[in-house]
Amino acid sequence: MPYQKLTDTELLDLLRNDDEQAFRALYERYWYKMYVVAHRKLRRKEVAEELAQELFVMLWQKRDSLKILNLPAFLGITLKNLMVDYIRRNILEEHYLDQLRLFFPVETFTTTETVQLNDLTEAIQNTLAQLPEKTREVFILRRFEQLSIREIAQRLELSEKAIEYHLSRSTSFLRQNLRDFVAVWVVFFLCP
């Protein structure tokens, strides 16, 4: 069957019946278009690729339950939501990195200290990025926004025990992955 000649509706019907070839045809038809939209908005190749990929993973995973009347509109709206979530997460992370920079006023540092601070900031950012999304969000809300465990639980609609678990997990992970920067932390916290 020449899948490329089928309409979106026909391909979606086949997709609902777990037809991988139909999925592949939809993927080939729309992935690059979705990538271009994401890249144009976010101007980051890797992120655009990741979001376009995530969009199609979601399409495959929810193929049984999706009621799609207009596939291009559905893909566009879903991609827009993925981009908004990505931007929201990164605005939070950038906000917290700015807060970290305020905590360590750079103008009082020597060149070496500035380089160490930049290395530390980059290491923190990279390590936070490795955490699962919910764990990272809990850590950021607790450590940078200084919300209480109860406030975080209410905001994220999780139990306080779940928040404590995420905090314990993130703290342990950060401690393990940032142990090379202990000396830098000591300099910044203990030296005037």
Side-chain angles (χ1 to χ4, degrees):
M1 176 186 317
Y3 285 89
Q4 291 79 11
K5 294 183 179 184
L6 296 176
T7 67
D8 290 349
T9 304
E10 292 169 326
L11 289 170
L12 285 169
D13 287 340
L14 291 169
L15 178 64
R16 283 188 199 92
N17 293 315
D18 301 331
D19 189 319
E20 291 180 25
Q21 294 295 331
F23 175 76
R24 189 170 291 125
L26 289 170
Y27 182 89
E28 289 171 1
R29 189 176 290 177
Y30 288 105
W31 184 89
Y32 186 73
K33 292 175 185 175
M34 296 298 105
Y35 161 77
V36 168
V37 169
H39 188 264
R40 197 175 300 141
K41 295 287 186 192
L42 301 173
R43 304 213 185 281
R44 295 188 61 198
K45 180 180 185 277
E46 298 81 16
V47 173
E49 288 173 352
E50 182 181 320
L51 293 178
Q53 195 69 21
E54 188 176 336
L55 173 64
F56 281 91
V57 167
M58 191 261 330
L59 180 65
W60 176 256
Q61 290 174 339
K62 296 184 178 186
R63 65 190 176 279
D64 299 335
S65 61
L66 292 174
K67 306 286 188 251
I68 302 171
L69 300 175
N70 181 334
L71 183 61
F74 169 81
L75 292 174
I77 290 168
T78 305
L79 180 64
K80 178 183 173 192
N81 291 335
L82 290 171
M83 289 188 297
V84 167
D85 290 344
Y86 171 80
I87 290 168
R88 198 174 283 142
R89 279 193 313 270
N90 282 306
I91 286 174
L92 283 176
E93 287 175 18
E94 286 300 318
H95 168 74
Y96 301 120
L97 290 173
D98 289 343
Q99 293 297 325
L100 183 62
R101 288 182 190 104
L102 287 175
F103 188 72
F104 300 118
V106 176
E107 60 273 357
T108 63
F109 293 153
T110 66
T111 303
T112 304
E113 290 170 332
T114 302
V115 169
Q116 289 174 334
L117 175 61
N118 289 339
D119 290 347
L120 175 61
T121 302
E122 184 178 341
I124 291 170
Q125 186 174 17
N126 292 337
T127 304
L128 285 175
Q130 293 176 40
L131 290 170
E133 183 178 339
K134 191 61 70 177
T135 303
R136 178 176 58 238
E137 188 175 6
V138 168
F139 179 84
I140 287 171
L141 291 172
R142 179 70 175 145
R143 300 295 182 214
F144 291 105
E145 283 203 13
Q146 277 123 32
L147 295 181
S148 70
I149 290 175
R150 175 171 283 157
E151 290 169 325
I152 298 169
Q154 289 171 348
R155 181 182 287 190
L156 300 180
E157 297 178 357
L158 295 172
S159 71
E160 290 183 25
K161 284 285 185 200
I163 300 303
E164 290 171 0
Y165 165 78
H166 285 292
L167 284 173
S168 173
R169 185 176 178 191
S170 61
T171 303
S172 173
F173 186 78
L174 285 165
R175 187 177 301 125
Q176 181 179 4
N177 286 282
L178 296 174
R179 66 177 166 252
D180 294 341
F181 290 92
V182 170
V184 176
W185 279 100
V186 170
V187 168
F188 287 125
F189 282 114
L190 298 180
C191 297

